[in-house]
Amino acid sequence: MSNYGPVAVVWFDTPLKVMSEERAGRLEKLVHELQPNCLVSGRLGGKFQSDYASEGDNKIPNLSGPAPGKRPRRSTTRGASRSTIATGKNRRTWSFKLVDIVSKGGNYLLNVGPDGEGVIPQPSQDMLRAVGRWLKVNGEAVYGAGRSPFGIEFGAAGAPDAKGKSTFQARQDWRCTAKPGSLFFTLFTWPGEKFTVTGLKGKATKAYLLADPDRKPLVLAQDGARLTVTLPATAPDPLASVLCVELTSSPHAPREADVAAL
């Protein structure tokens, strides 16, 4: 911890049942004494003594929310892609997971396993490059973006299952991420020639598609908290298309300091 320069993260992958609260506290204190700016993963154990929440492998929360017992911080979901085949469906799946997690205030830690020769399998390379090409066009909606100010797009509670446990009916039509003065609606299901969202705070001044290099303004109509944007008849991107809406004095966007820290 003191011979390798600045360390960004210490990833504890601790069997939680064997880590005591006292021992976890000592480890966290030691890391921060040696590396004050280092983050400690949420898998340290000991009643969540860490700097951010860490979900289980391939587990994504249904809704956005702060880590339990902490001030609102980023969470991380770890996904594995060892057996991924780079089909169009899988590229869409990984793109959705990435935006879904960011819209809920998280980061996506993607595990890509090399083969016995230390080479990333070609299907995984193809998938990563496809998502990378999408990010070159639409990265503004992901990098440095904060959580959705809405929440209705995530889904809603469903009827209890046969054992009486609560269920959640997820929706995947669109996700929203935010920056100061801008909202980014990533449309995974093209809504046709109109996209409408309710619960908007602030006044929308301009709307355009990130896939449009000229960023030509789209026709928008706002009635209080209800916003409707007129879209092209077909989606510009088969994976997902991002609609950016600029606002004035929007309370939706995260604070500048919060975005800078992402």
Side-chain angles (χ1 to χ4, degrees), residues 140-243:
E140 287 181 61
V142 174
Y143 298 119
R147 68 186 70 222
S148 171
F150 300 102
I152 188 66
E153 70 272 26
F154 299 139
D161 62 16
K163 296 182 179 180
K165 294 183 178 180
S166 59
T167 62
F168 189 81
Q169 301 297 319
R171 302 188 184 107
Q172 298 186 354
D173 293 335
W174 58 274
R175 291 293 184 263
C176 180
T177 53
K179 288 182 179 179
S182 297
L183 296 177
F184 299 90
F185 297 92
T186 302
L187 308 177
F188 294 93
T189 300
W190 193 246
E193 297 185 0
K194 300 284 185 181
F195 174 73
T196 299
V197 64
T198 58
L200 190 74
K201 297 178 182 178
K203 179 176 176 57
T205 58
K206 184 180 180 180
Y208 54 87
L209 294 166
L210 294 187
D212 178 5
D214 297 324
R215 301 197 168 181
K216 295 185 292 292
L218 300 170
V219 176
L220 55 83
Q222 184 172 357
D223 182 9
R226 181 183 178 89
L227 176 69
T228 299
V229 181
T230 301
L231 301 172
T234 57
D237 193 307
L239 278 182
S241 300
V242 179
L243 169 67

Side-chain angles (χ1 to χ4, degrees), residues 12 14-21 23-25 27 44-47:
F12 288 94
T14 315
L16 302 184
K17 293 182 180 180
V18 302
M19 177 63 73
S20 69
E21 182 175 355
R23 188 181 182 191
L27 287 171
L44 174 58
K47 296 185 178 180

Side-chain angles (χ1 to χ4, degrees), residues 30-244:
L30 177 62
V31 170
H32 288 146
E33 285 177 349
L34 296 173
Q35 295 280 346
N37 296 320
C38 182
L39 297 177
V40 174
S41 77
R43 295 190 182 187
L44 174 58
K47 296 185 178 180
F48 195 75
Q49 296 194 21
S50 57
D51 293 309
Y52 63 93
S54 179
E55 299 293 337
D57 289 358
N58 297 302
K59 180 182 178 181
I60 301 174
N62 290 326
L63 300 171
S64 173
K70 290 278 189 175
R71 66 180 177 84
R73 294 184 179 183
R74 303 289 278 184
S75 62
T76 295
T77 290
R78 178 173 176 263
S81 63
R82 293 177 185 273
S83 60
T84 297
I85 299 176
T87 62
K89 180 179 180 181
N90 282 315
R91 290 192 290 269
R92 178 183 172 85
T93 296
W94 293 117
S95 299
F96 176 80
K97 286 183 177 180
L98 173 62
V99 179
D100 183 37
I101 290 167
V102 173
S103 75
K104 294 171 181 174
N107 292 289
Y108 195 18
L109 178 61
L110 183 61
N111 175 32
V112 181
D115 61 21
E117 300 298 323
V119 177
I120 302 298
Q122 190 62 48
S124 293
Q125 292 187 39
D126 294 341
M127 182 274 293
L128 292 169
R129 289 192 175 102
V131 176
R133 288 191 293 271
W134 184 84
L135 283 169
K136 281 187 176 180
V137 176
N138 301 290
E140 287 181 61
V142 174
Y143 298 119
R147 68 186 70 222
S148 171
F150 300 102
I152 188 66
E153 70 272 26
F154 299 139
D161 62 16
K163 296 182 179 180
K165 294 183 178 180
S166 59
T167 62
F168 189 81
Q169 301 297 319
R171 302 188 184 107
Q172 298 186 354
D173 293 335
W174 58 274
R175 291 293 184 263
C176 180
T177 53
K179 288 182 179 179
S182 297
L183 296 177
F184 299 90
F185 297 92
T186 302
L187 308 177
F188 294 93
T189 300
W190 193 246
E193 297 185 0
K194 300 284 185 181
F195 174 73
T196 299
V197 64
T198 58
L200 190 74
K201 297 178 182 178
K203 179 176 176 57
T205 58
K206 184 180 180 180
Y208 54 87
L209 294 166
L210 294 187
D212 178 5
D214 297 324
R215 301 197 168 181
K216 295 185 292 292
L218 300 170
V219 176
L220 55 83
Q222 184 172 357
D223 182 9
R226 181 183 178 89
L227 176 69
T228 299
V229 181
T230 301
L231 301 172
T234 57
D237 193 307
L239 278 182
S241 300
V242 179
L243 169 67
C244 177

